[in-house]
Amino acid sequence: MASNDSDSQMKIVHGDAGYILEDVPHFADYIPNLPVFSLSLSLFRSSSITYANCIALTHSLADRLCTTFFFLQTYPNPLRSNPAYSVVKQYFVHMDDTVPQKVVVHKDSPRGVHFRRAGPRQKVYFKSDEVHACIVTCGGLCPGLNTVIREIVCGLSYMYGVNKVLGIDGGYRGFYSKNTITLTPKVVNDIHKRGGTILGTSRGGHDTGKIVDSIQDRGINQVYIIGGDGTQRGATVIYEEVRRRGLKVAIAGIPKTIDNDIPVIDKSFGFDTAVEEAQRAINAAHVEAESIENGIGVVKLMGRYSGFIAMYATLASRDVDCCLIPESPFYLEGKGGLFEFIEKRLKENGHMVIVIAEGAGQDLLTESMQAMDQKDASGNKLLQDVGLWISHKIKDHFARKDKMPINLKYIDPTYMIRAIPSNASDNVYCTLLAQSAVHGAMAGYTGFTVGLVNGRQTYIPFIRINERQNKVVITDRMWARLLSSTNQPSFLSPKDLEEAKKAESPTQLLEENNCNDVGDAEKEQPPKDEQESGNHTDNGIKTQN
Ligand SMILES: Nc1ncnc2c1ncn2[C@@H]1O[C@H](COP(=O)(O)OP(=O)(O)O)[C@@H](O)[C@H]1O
Ligand SMILES: O=P(O)(O)OC[C@H]1O[C@](O)(COP(=O)(O)O)[C@@H](O)[C@@H]1O
Ligand SMILES: [Mg+2]
């Protein structure tokens, strides 16, 4: 039984045992199907034309009707005749294939929320030569952007015979203020070996009316939008305007976030590459610190609101003594403070490494510097440099007569870790994401973000992606693993800890087996059904275990 909550644009399908499909929009939701088959049958019955000619006649009539009156016409998926795919027994995804959002369940758990599985369908809603696609990259850089671009272009060409693909220059504003860039497999052949985005990116400049006008004027009918939480919100309003105008234009989002601040998906492409690159900076800081008496290495990593890179780089490195993230408040002076911990660790080991996410400690900075609540062109908070600030505070503290002399080295690799090309595993991940987006658009789905959920490519409704930011939950097992690895204090007063625990579902702490695996990155506020079932997963990035 399907219901369409028009306010939230969420297509809900209910099944047995508490099964809920949070489906994604499809052209058929708002564009009438053209009954070609019944047309050809009635033509055959009412004339002396052979049935084959009736089919041919109605198809050519239908093509004209579909282009002028936006009727829907379906075609067999050209992959049927593609030698590379014909060997696969069951290449097409079954129309009822869905992926569960929660995989840690009890024997009586309701089946819960599911998302539509990504992949090629038997029928497509575009003929190869009628597809006019475009690709746009928005927001901050992330390793793998060029790989996603490359694989969308090559996927459209090699799998679906599509050769009209445009690149939008410089983010959303490029739709209406720049010329487009023609993209072919030849043009993009080796771009995956380069960091950044060949299309350029930007913040701000999102004008829904102008963007959809340019899509319509250019005759574009597939739009692939690569970007983070802000970009996906921008894609949502573009989809809503396209639907309002009744246009047969597929809007497909590919999530990109170096901070891993997008919910629902297991992780963002580029995240593993960024964590791997951060190791180089942490190793350098560790070498500097251990090579001199009372050496302290300070490394600032990206993470405006979410500290996943700092957390995972710390867990991977094992050379870090203290990891500070936006989600976990800390304080400097007094008992249990950072200065006390530094003194203790230097006496124990003679050196230490501190990793701090750029969004950590901003509350302390605003106390000690004039409050700066400036925002970037997209409305994101502009941060003060917490790395420099904490380095100065530590130096000043230990410069006092009664304190031990220290040698502090500060390393800031923030932009380095996002401007590099993606590593091998992220390249494969980018390929699967790009191809899933292409399959979805060709199959007539729209208004979706493609993403890995429990290790399966899925189509996720925009509203699920936009409803919150993904953050580290400091009362969860993954953060506990970090604290046990660094042996740092939690810097939380008993009152803070109690508040943090209250912020989680009350049954979470009782449901031992719901918190024991490295689940998908935890949401700030799990959806209602998760709170009720107490089914809460760890922080962290889902790995196949
Ligand atoms: N709520 C929104 N509605 C429409 N466009 C948005 C919204 N939020 C951000 N955008 C646009 O999306 C683009 C990227 O957003 P930004 O937050 O800078 O990066 P990211 O999407 O990578 O997090 C910008 O052009 C911005 O103007
Ligand atoms: O690219 P800018 O404008 O310097 O912004 C830097 C910020 O962008 C980020 O890399 C995240 O950008 P996105 O949200 O666009 O992915 C943050 O980690 C960092 O704080
Ligand atoms: Mg963002």
Side-chain angles (χ1 to χ4, degrees):
M1 171 188 67
S3 66
N4 204 342
D5 177 347
S6 54
D7 300 334
S8 65
Q9 289 305 314
M10 184 82 94
K11 285 164 61 178
I12 305 284
V13 178
H14 292 278
D16 299 338
Y19 172 92
I20 300 170
L21 167 61
E22 292 189 352
D23 205 355
V24 289
H26 189 277
F27 285 148
D29 298 342
Y30 66 94
I31 301 175
N33 266 304
L34 189 66
V36 176
F37 175 71
S38 43
L39 272 177
S40 27
L41 210 52
S42 49
L43 182 62
F44 175 63
R45 285 189 182 131
S46 60
S47 71
S48 56
I49 308 171
T50 65
Y51 185 59
N53 288 341
C54 289
I55 289 276
L57 256 176
T58 37
H59 267 288
S60 62
L61 171 68
D63 285 353
R64 254 196 290 285
L65 277 174
C66 290
T67 41
T68 42
F69 300 108
F70 286 127
F71 277 110
L72 278 186
Q73 169 82 337
T74 61
Y75 310 90
N77 191 318
L79 282 172
R80 291 166 187 273
S81 51
N82 184 316
Y85 299 93
S86 54
V87 296
V88 177
K89 190 165 61 70
Q90 175 49 37
Y91 187 71
F92 296 111
V93 169
H94 189 282
M95 61 182 292
D96 293 335
D97 280 4
T98 58
V99 177
Q101 184 176 13
K102 294 193 290 288
V103 288
V104 178
V105 296
H106 294 173
K107 64 181 171 57
D108 304 326
S109 303
R111 294 174 63 195
V113 169
H114 289 64
F115 298 112
R116 188 168 286 285
R117 186 181 176 193
R121 266 60 183 180
Q122 300 266 7
K123 290 188 303 184
V124 294
Y125 283 74
F126 294 96
K127 275 200 308 185
S128 303
D129 59 6
E130 79 170 282
V131 176
H132 198 170
C134 77
I135 304 171
V136 65
T137 52
C138 308
L141 296 185
C142 181
L145 275 169
N146 279 330
T147 309
V148 177
I149 295 167
R150 179 191 194 283
E151 297 307 329
I152 291 173
V153 175
C154 294
L156 281 168
S157 173
Y158 301 141
M159 296 193 293
Y160 289 96
V162 169
N163 297 309
K164 281 188 281 184
V165 186
L166 296 175
I168 301 298
D169 184 354
Y172 278 135
R173 67 177 80 249
F175 272 105
Y176 55 84
S177 64
K178 298 278 186 68
N179 293 326
T180 55
I181 304 148
T182 302
L183 297 174
T184 64
K186 195 166 177 344
V187 164
V188 301
N189 182 50
D190 63 356
I191 65 170
H192 58 297
K193 297 171 186 158
R194 303 203 306 256
T197 160
I198 59 161
L199 300 180
T201 181
S202 64
R203 296 186 188 277
H206 183 286
D207 181 316
T208 311
K210 284 185 179 175
I211 291 170
V212 179
D213 287 348
S214 75
I215 289 169
Q216 208 168 350
D217 298 346
R218 288 189 168 109
I220 290 169
N221 52 25
Q222 291 186 5
V223 185
Y224 297 93
I225 300 175
I226 309 168
D229 55 335
T231 306
Q232 300 308 316
R233 279 193 292 277
T236 306
V237 290
I238 290 171
Y239 156 70
E240 286 163 357
E241 177 60 14
V242 160
R243 179 170 177 148
R244 191 187 65 76
R245 296 188 192 185
L247 303 175
K248 184 190 169 192
V249 177
I251 307 295
I254 295 102
K256 171 266 333 165
T257 160
I258 190 99
D259 295 354
N260 200 49
D261 60 4
I262 292 182
V264 181
I265 60 174
D266 294 352
K267 64 180 172 183
S268 165
F269 70 80
F271 180 78
D272 284 351
T273 303
V275 170
E276 193 176 300
E277 184 67 11
Q279 302 302 301
R280 294 154 55 96
I282 294 172
N283 293 341
H286 186 244
V287 167
E288 286 285 347
E290 67 174 354
S291 305
I292 192 161
E293 188 183 10
N294 292 337
I296 299 177
V298 176
V299 178
K300 182 181 79 171
L301 296 177
M302 289 226 151
R304 188 192 292 124
Y305 305 117
S306 305
F308 286 99
I309 290 187
M311 174 160 85
Y312 276 79
T314 295
L315 281 168
S317 150
R318 299 303 193 185
D319 283 335
V320 177
D321 300 274
C322 185
C323 174
L324 304 170
I325 60 174
E327 298 91 334
S328 180
F330 65 94
Y331 55 95
L332 302 176
E333 309 274 359
K335 180 153 183 45
L338 180 63
F339 292 153
E340 181 187 75
F341 173 65
I342 292 173
E343 204 156 332
K344 176 171 169 290
R345 189 51 57 91
L346 289 180
K347 281 178 183 157
E348 284 164 359
N349 292 359
H351 68 276
M352 77 180 290
V353 172
I354 299 171
V355 167
I356 184 165
E358 58 181 341
Q362 291 294 321
D363 52 330
L364 300 177
L365 268 81
T366 39
E367 276 167 26
S368 64
M369 298 158 91
Q370 81 284 355
M372 186 182 110
D373 55 1
Q374 287 168 350
K375 296 191 183 307
D376 68 18
S378 298
N380 300 301
K381 181 171 72 172
L382 276 181
L383 305 172
Q384 300 177 66
D385 190 328
V386 71
L388 276 178
W389 171 80
I390 200 163
S391 300
H392 290 148
K393 295 296 276 185
I394 293 170
K395 284 178 187 169
D396 293 349
H397 176 81
F398 286 94
R400 292 180 204 159
K401 288 194 183 47
D402 59 329
K403 297 294 175 192
M404 62 169 76
I406 61 149
N407 291 281
L408 186 143
K409 309 296 180 199
Y410 171 50
I411 298 176
D412 174 0
T414 39
Y415 289 99
M416 267 177 60
I417 66 172
R418 74 174 200 185
I420 53 172
S422 44
N423 67 14
S425 73
D426 268 328
N427 267 342
V428 174
Y429 184 18
C430 290
T431 302
L432 268 62
L433 277 175
Q435 291 186 356
S436 296
V438 167
H439 290 316
M442 291 300 295
Y445 290 107
T446 180
F448 67 86
T449 296
V450 66
L452 206 59
V453 174
N454 299 318
R456 284 277 186 272
Q457 295 285 338
T458 59
Y459 298 132
I460 305 162
F462 279 143
I463 189 155
R464 268 277 178 253
I465 295 291
N466 298 336
E467 65 185 350
R468 55 180 157 253
Q469 257 184 345
N470 188 36
K471 292 194 174 181
V472 173
V473 177
I474 57 171
T475 53
D476 245 348
R477 192 178 296 274
M478 190 54 90
W479 184 245
R481 286 188 187 111
L482 180 130
L483 295 180
S484 69
S485 153
T486 61
N487 288 315
Q488 69 189 60
S490 70
F491 299 112
L492 287 177
S493 66
K495 182 171 155 294
D496 295 334
L497 204 52
E498 265 324 295
E499 274 167 22
K501 284 178 181 171
K502 272 199 212 100
E504 297 316 306
S505 51
T507 51
Q508 170 218 341
L509 299 177
L510 305 175
E511 299 283 350
E512 186 46 41
N513 61 345
N514 278 347
C515 307
N516 57 7
D517 67 337
V518 177
D520 57 341
E522 195 39 54
K523 298 106 191 159
E524 198 179 6
Q525 281 301 327
K528 198 171 170 313
D529 59 338
E530 269 190 2
Q531 285 170 354
E532 276 157 7
S533 67
N535 199 354
H536 194 66
T537 53
D538 262 337
N539 278 314
I541 311 301
K542 186 172 295 305
T543 52
Q544 291 309 315
N545 50 359

